[in-house]
């Protein structure tokens, strides 16, 4: 994990106070969407998914509470969801793992898209599990598999592959993400990343 932090910027991550990331997402069958992510170091995040002229998904975390809106459904995040989201929506999640009691176990060396990669199991205090794969040579994260159990006992798996890392303001970000949730496959291409730009605080309002 530390090798990954170092490979993407190391101590320079401390200088990153906010991020604005805009992506274009190909959801298949000709469906193209825009995703906007706003992240602030004070445990605040906002995600918007836009299809055509409509915002089809909206998630906000303000440090102590959060909500998710999809279509007409608007719901508060549960305590477990909030705890996970505060870490996973952080500017650099891995910097928080040790402090917050995440359990990390090196399991094996495996191939990911032709590269040797360390397979690391990461277990959050909430029980949510991540299987992350870090390139042996570069230290960069190549893939992450998230496993979580819903309130009704169902197991959800989602896989994200990361590629095309580029240096912006002295830290590296992946610019291509391939995401699979169930049978749904999506490719996200980063259009822009703005570092330390002031973010409108009303984006983080939670009623």
């Amino acid at each position: 994990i530390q090798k990954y932090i170092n490979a993407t910027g190391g101590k320079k991550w401390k200088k990153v106070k906010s991020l604005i990331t805009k992506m274009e997402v190909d959801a298949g069958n000709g469906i193209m969407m825009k995703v906007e992510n706003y992240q602030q170091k004070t445990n605040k995040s906002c995600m918007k998914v836009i299809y055509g002229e409509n915002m089809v998904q909206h998630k906000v975390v303000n440090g102590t509470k959060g909500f998710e809106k999809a279509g007409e459904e608007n719901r508060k995040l549960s305590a477990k969801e909030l705890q996970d989201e505060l870490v996973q929506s952080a500017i650099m999640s891995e910097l928080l793992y040790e402090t917050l009691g995440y359990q990390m176990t090196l399991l094996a060396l495996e191939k990911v898209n032709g590269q040797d990669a360390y397979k690391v199991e990461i277990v959050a205090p909430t029980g949510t599990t991540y299987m992350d794969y870090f390139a042996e040579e570069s230290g960069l994260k190549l893939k992450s598999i998230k496993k979580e159990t819903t309130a009704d006992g169902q197991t959800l798996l989602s896989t994200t592959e990361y590629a095309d890392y580029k240096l912006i303001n002295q830290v590296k970000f992946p610019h291509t993400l391939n995401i699979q949730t169930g049978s749904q496959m999506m490719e996200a291409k980063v259009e822009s990343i703005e570092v330390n730009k002031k973010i409108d605080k009303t984006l983080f309002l939670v009623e």
Side-chain angles (χ1 to χ4, degrees), residues 161-173:
E161 293 187 351
Y162 305 90
D164 191 23
Y165 279 82
K166 293 178 183 177
L167 200 63
I168 296 176
N169 278 46
Q170 299 183 305
V171 288
K172 284 184 179 179
F173 301 91

Side-chain angles (χ1 to χ4, degrees), residues 57-165:
Q57 189 177 357
H58 186 203
K59 185 188 286 185
V60 175
V61 171
N62 72 356
T64 56
K65 52 187 177 179
F67 73 84
E68 182 173 28
K69 185 176 183 181
E72 296 303 312
E73 183 186 2
N74 190 356
R75 65 180 187 85
K76 290 182 180 179
L77 297 183
S78 68
K80 176 183 181 296
E81 288 173 321
L82 181 62
Q83 195 174 344
D84 282 341
E85 195 65 34
L86 283 171
V87 178
Q88 294 309 311
S89 64
I91 287 173
M92 173 48 104
S93 304
E94 285 76 6
L95 287 171
L96 305 175
Y97 284 173
E98 202 168 321
T99 307
L100 296 179
Y102 277 58
Q103 300 297 313
M104 294 165 281
T105 308
L106 176 61
L107 297 180
L109 186 66
E110 295 184 3
K111 290 279 187 186
V112 175
N113 296 329
Q115 295 187 61
D116 288 328
Y118 292 111
K119 179 181 180 180
V120 180
E121 181 185 56
I122 300 160
V123 182
T126 59
T128 300
T129 301
Y130 306 86
M131 204 67 73
D132 285 1
Y133 297 78
F134 300 92
E136 180 186 29
E137 189 173 333
S138 67
L140 298 174
K141 186 194 290 187
L142 304 178
K143 183 167 77 170
S144 180
I145 303 171
K146 179 183 178 182
K147 180 181 178 182
E148 60 182 328
T149 305
T150 62
D152 56 4
Q154 288 188 317
T155 299
L156 293 180
L157 281 178
S158 59
T159 301
T160 304
E161 293 187 351
Y162 305 90
D164 191 23
Y165 279 82

